[in-house]
Amino acid sequence: MNAIRHLAFGFGIVTVVVGFALVQGGILQEGNLAAYWRELGRVAGGFQPDFAAFARAPLIIQIHVAAALSALALGLVQLFAPKGTIPHRTLGYVWAALMLATALTAIFIRQINDGQFSFIHIFVPLTLFGLFGMITHARALRTDKHRNTVLGLFIGALIVPGLFAFMPGRLMWQMFFGG
């Protein structure tokens, strides 16, 4: 029952964040949802990726993307590798450092919202609190809580914000859809 309650709570948080993202992006305002889908269809019809957009991006964004993609790859390895070993612990600290770098660099990325924080910046404090909890639980040998915290960080601080990175106007959208 406890796991179901946590899952429902996490789903609720993600739903609220996605809702704010859609509202802030103007997608749900004034019937822009249809315009968004038209734009998505237009782009899908003329698929022209622009990977040089990464090289043109500011250095802070390049560092952020490199840290996030490295954390994603290492996180996948960690999820499937044997637990409780010295390599798991060592790579866990590397993963935590990559997540910290991803969160801290995100603070300085404000091009989308005219120099202000955007909805996606809510993941910065969530990531920092999650990292603290992950390390605290691991050191206290609370493996079940450590595992849940790591899974929450992986999904809630890498996968979900990573999907938001593919919104129109963002670097990943430009790189893969040529927008």
Side-chain angles (χ1 to χ4, degrees):
M1 184 63 178
N2 204 14
I4 293 172
R5 185 177 49 177
H6 287 162
L7 182 64
F9 182 71
F11 182 75
I13 289 174
V14 169
T15 302
V16 168
V17 170
V18 169
F20 280 131
L22 293 174
V23 169
Q24 186 184 25
I27 293 171
L28 294 180
Q29 298 170 351
E30 302 172 12
N32 285 337
L33 187 57
Y36 177 78
W37 286 112
R38 279 194 303 273
E39 176 68 14
L40 189 60
R42 182 193 66 76
V43 168
F47 181 69
Q48 297 176 350
D50 179 17
F51 295 114
F54 181 76
R56 293 189 305 268
L59 180 62
I60 194 75
I61 293 177
Q62 293 176 357
I63 293 169
H64 177 77
V65 170
L69 291 178
S70 299
L72 181 66
L74 184 57
L76 286 171
V77 169
Q78 284 288 81
L79 288 175
F80 295 107
K83 311 298 184 269
T85 62
I86 291 174
H88 176 77
R89 182 176 301 164
T90 304
L91 291 177
Y93 280 114
V94 172
W95 187 77
L98 288 169
M99 291 296 292
L100 182 63
T102 301
L104 294 179
T105 55
I107 294 171
F108 301 102
I109 300 173
R110 301 185 194 169
Q111 285 82 352
I112 296 295
N113 207 23
D114 297 324
Q116 301 297 316
F117 288 117
S118 66
F119 71 91
I120 204 165
H121 286 95
I122 190 66
F123 293 105
V124 173
L126 294 175
T127 302
L128 297 176
F129 284 122
L131 286 171
F132 177 77
M134 176 189 78
I135 293 170
T136 302
H137 294 314
R139 288 182 170 258
L141 302 177
R142 295 186 295 254
T143 56
D144 56 335
K145 291 185 178 184
H146 171 74
R147 178 181 51 247
N148 291 341
T149 304
V150 170
L151 283 173
L153 273 171
F154 186 80
I155 293 169
L158 278 176
I159 302 297
V160 172
L163 292 174
F164 284 127
F166 283 91
M167 290 179 67
R170 294 191 177 270
L171 176 63
M172 292 300 168
W173 176 272
Q174 293 172 354
M175 284 175 52
F176 288 94
F177 300 112

